[in-house]
């Protein structure tokens, strides 16, 4: 968990400076080597250092992979990468269970996991660099080479860079017209009550989600079911997240639904475990809570991007991500009960945290199908909470609202600033 925290602090800055593709290639190589070293040199202190470095590489891989997947996806399908990548993660979790069962020792398990990574290293060379990063760095020769691969690549790249190029031109024109240091304005945005409220809510949601998700993951063998079967079903429970983009709900309703179901499932699991319920049913309810909290996590990734104005978006996202990693660290200090099961206090925290977060979501605006905000005025124009239209009928917008909507700037692609949790 310390390595994941360090990786989240440095991964984004390094990838922004040197590019996501080089950082990804270096990290997958180090990740494979780190899996091989403990199998050859099983020293306790070396093992701990290697695990920390593995976590740093893993976090950097997640950040770069998520950003590249989003930036190479057309805007209409941009919700699919944060759903598909956790689905692949669940496949790896399921595959780890039979590998651990077949491995006679933990050293053989490390060797079994490291060798396929070394064999697959040449495949990563085919991954392209971020088109937006290349455009900002004026690496037109690389972009032209990507365009020349095929007509389909050329068409896709032109669509991806169309909005990015117009945004770059507008930013350049704005700097020429008003060459003023924007730092005071940014600091003022961070102190504004609207931004502080949203930052507090998203930070709490991240910390509570980390506590619930990793609390269940790290105690998966304490539900009275075999540890290998529990690990397999733990990965299987995350697979339905791939279907979340098909749900036609906005950011706020789906976040509230996922948080409520997660808290309710963990609470029912707690009740059944206290009254000697069937172990498989107890584990199933806990894994349902884990699935729902995972859905809330990757929805909150996009939600955080859409809630904050451009000038302070990256700083706010970094603080939200830091809250998530601090929640991960706190999970490691939660003690178990004397019989090895999840303690009563821990399950109360895992169930009540999402419930409180569900209530806090009522204070957030709906941001789906709304342009990304560039200023506090844009944040205030985002739709606030109001009664459902199927009860009250569609509301005709006022003429002033129509004029405000017409003046909103086009949506910007900020995928490069997105952390993958």
């Amino acid at each position: 968990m310390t390595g994941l925290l360090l990786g989240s602090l440095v991964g984004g800055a390094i990838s922004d400076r040197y590019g996501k593709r080089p950082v990804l290639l270096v990290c997958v190589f180090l990740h494979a080597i780190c899996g091989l070293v403990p199998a050859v040199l099983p020293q306790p202190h070396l093992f701990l250092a290697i695990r920390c470095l593995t976590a740093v590489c893993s976090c950097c891989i997640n950040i770069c992979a998520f950003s590249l997947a989003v930036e190479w996806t057309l805007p209409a399908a941009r919700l699919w990468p944060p759903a598909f990548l956790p689905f692949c993660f669940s496949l790896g979790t399921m595959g780890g269970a039979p590998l651990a069962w077949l491995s006679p020792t933990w050293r053989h398990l490390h060797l079994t996991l490291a060798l396929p990574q070394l064999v697959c290293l040449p495949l990563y060379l085919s991954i392209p660099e971020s088109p937006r990063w290349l455009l900002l760095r004026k690496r037109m020769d690389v972009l032209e080479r990507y365009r020349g691969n095929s007509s389909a690549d050329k068409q896709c790249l032109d669509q991806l860079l169309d909005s990015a190029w117009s945004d770059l031109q507008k930013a350049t024109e704005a700097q020429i017209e008003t060459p003023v240091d924007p730092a005071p304005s940014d600091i003022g945005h961070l102190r504004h009550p609207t931004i502080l409220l949203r930052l507090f809510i998203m930070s709490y949601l991240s910390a509570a989600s980390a506590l619930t998700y990793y609390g269940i993951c790290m105690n998966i063998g304490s539900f009275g079911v075999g540890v290998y079967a529990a690990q397999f079903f733990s990965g299987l429970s995350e697979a339905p997240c791939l279907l979340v983009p098909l749900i036609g709900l906005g950011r706020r309703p789906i976040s509230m639904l996922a948080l409520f179901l997660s808290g309710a499932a963990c609470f029912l699991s707690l009740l059944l475990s206290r009254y000697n319920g069937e172990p498989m049913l107890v584990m199933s309810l806990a894994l349902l809570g884990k699935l729902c909290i995972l859905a809330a996590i990757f929805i909150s990734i996009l939600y955080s991007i859409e809630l904050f104005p451009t000038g302070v978006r990256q700083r706010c996202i970094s603080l939200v991500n830091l809250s998530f990693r601090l929640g991960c660290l706190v999970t490691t200090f939660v003690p178990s009960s004397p019989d090895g099961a999840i303690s009563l206090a821990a399950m109360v925290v895992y169930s009540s945290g999402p419930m409180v977060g569900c209530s806090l979501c009522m204070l957030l605006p709906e941001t789906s199908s709304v342009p990304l905000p560039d200023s506090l005025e844009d944040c205030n124009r985002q739709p606030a909470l109001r009664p459902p239209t199927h009860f009250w009928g569609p509301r005709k917008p006022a003429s002033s609202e129509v004029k405000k909507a017409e003046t909103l700037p086009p949506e910007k692609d900020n995928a490069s600033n997105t952390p993958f949790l």
Side-chain angles (χ1 to χ4, degrees), residues 321-404:
N321 192 29
L322 179 62
S323 301
F324 183 87
R325 294 304 172 192
L326 291 177
C328 297
L329 280 174
V330 172
T331 308
T332 62
F333 295 102
V334 177
S336 302
S337 59
D339 58 354
I342 302 179
S343 63
L344 175 63
M347 283 303 294
V348 169
V349 172
Y350 299 158
S351 58
S352 61
M355 289 287 194
V356 176
C358 176
S359 303
L360 291 177
C361 284
M362 300 283 290
L363 302 176
L364 296 175
E366 177 55 55
T367 59
S368 59
S369 303
V370 175
L372 293 181
D374 288 318
S375 62
L376 287 172
E377 290 75 14
D378 295 338
C379 292
N380 293 329
R381 294 192 192 108
Q382 290 174 327
L385 179 66
R386 52 176 183 261
T389 56
H390 60 272
F391 288 131
W392 301 93
R395 184 178 69 90
K396 294 183 179 180
S399 59
S400 60
E401 293 181 353
V402 174
K403 292 180 181 179
K404 288 182 178 179

Side-chain angles (χ1 to χ4, degrees), residues 65-400:
F66 180 88
S67 296
L68 288 173
V70 171
E71 292 188 28
W72 279 100
T73 303
L74 295 176
R78 195 153 285 160
L79 192 59
W80 283 101
F84 183 73
L85 292 180
F87 172 75
C88 297
F89 186 87
S90 69
L91 295 180
T93 304
M94 288 187 287
L99 284 178
W101 183 73
L102 293 172
S103 301
T105 64
W106 65 270
R107 294 176 64 182
H108 287 85
L109 177 60
H110 269 274
L111 192 63
T112 305
L113 294 174
L115 290 180
Q117 295 184 60
L118 292 172
V119 173
C120 293
L121 283 178
L123 297 177
Y124 296 111
L125 297 175
S126 61
I127 297 177
E129 181 55 270
S130 161
R132 192 178 184 90
W133 186 86
L134 292 173
L135 180 64
L136 294 175
R137 297 287 176 170
K138 296 181 170 50
R139 299 284 298 277
M140 300 303 177
D141 55 333
V142 182
L143 289 174
E144 290 301 324
R145 188 169 72 247
Y146 290 163
R147 281 195 178 95
N149 291 335
S150 66
S151 58
D153 287 349
K154 182 179 183 301
Q155 182 180 2
C156 177
L157 194 59
D158 289 341
Q159 293 180 9
L160 289 171
L161 294 179
D162 184 32
S163 60
W165 179 250
S166 62
D167 292 344
L168 184 61
Q169 287 181 326
K170 290 179 180 179
T172 304
E173 292 174 358
Q175 289 179 356
I176 295 175
E177 293 176 1
T178 57
V180 181
D181 185 12
S185 176
D186 293 345
I187 296 175
H189 284 175
L190 282 174
R191 295 174 179 172
H192 195 275
T194 300
I195 303 301
L196 290 177
L197 176 63
R198 297 183 181 186
L199 184 59
F200 167 76
I201 294 175
M202 297 309 297
S203 298
Y204 173 82
L205 292 180
S206 295
S209 300
L211 278 171
T212 303
Y213 180 81
Y214 283 104
I216 296 175
C217 287
M218 297 173 65
N219 294 277
I220 196 63
S222 62
F223 292 107
V225 182
V227 63
Y228 300 111
Q231 179 71 12
F232 177 83
F233 286 110
S234 175
L236 184 63
S237 68
E238 298 181 5
C241 272
L242 187 63
L243 304 177
V244 171
L246 300 178
I247 303 176
L249 296 176
R251 305 283 189 265
R252 182 177 57 198
I254 196 171
S255 296
M256 295 176 64
L257 179 63
L259 291 167
F260 176 79
L261 291 178
S262 176
C266 291
F267 182 72
L268 291 176
S269 174
L270 171 64
L271 289 180
L272 289 177
S273 65
R274 291 294 128 183
Y275 292 99
N276 299 320
E278 183 67 27
M280 184 60 73
L281 180 59
V282 173
M283 187 188 73
S284 298
L285 286 172
L287 293 183
L288 175 61
K290 177 170 169 278
L291 166 65
C292 294
I293 205 66
L294 179 65
I297 286 172
F298 84 74
I299 288 296
S300 69
I301 295 173
L302 293 178
Y303 211 173
S304 297
I305 296 174
E306 297 166 342
L307 281 174
F308 301 107
T310 302
V312 295
R313 183 174 296 128
Q314 178 58 25
R315 294 172 184 160
C316 293
I317 290 175
S318 299
L319 291 174
V320 172
N321 192 29
L322 179 62
S323 301
F324 183 87
R325 294 304 172 192
L326 291 177
C328 297
L329 280 174
V330 172
T331 308
T332 62
F333 295 102
V334 177
S336 302
S337 59
D339 58 354
I342 302 179
S343 63
L344 175 63
M347 283 303 294
V348 169
V349 172
Y350 299 158
S351 58
S352 61
M355 289 287 194
V356 176
C358 176
S359 303
L360 291 177
C361 284
M362 300 283 290
L363 302 176
L364 296 175
E366 177 55 55
T367 59
S368 59
S369 303
V370 175
L372 293 181
D374 288 318
S375 62
L376 287 172
E377 290 75 14
D378 295 338
C379 292
N380 293 329
R381 294 192 192 108
Q382 290 174 327
L385 179 66
R386 52 176 183 261
T389 56
H390 60 272
F391 288 131
W392 301 93
R395 184 178 69 90
K396 294 183 179 180
S399 59
S400 60

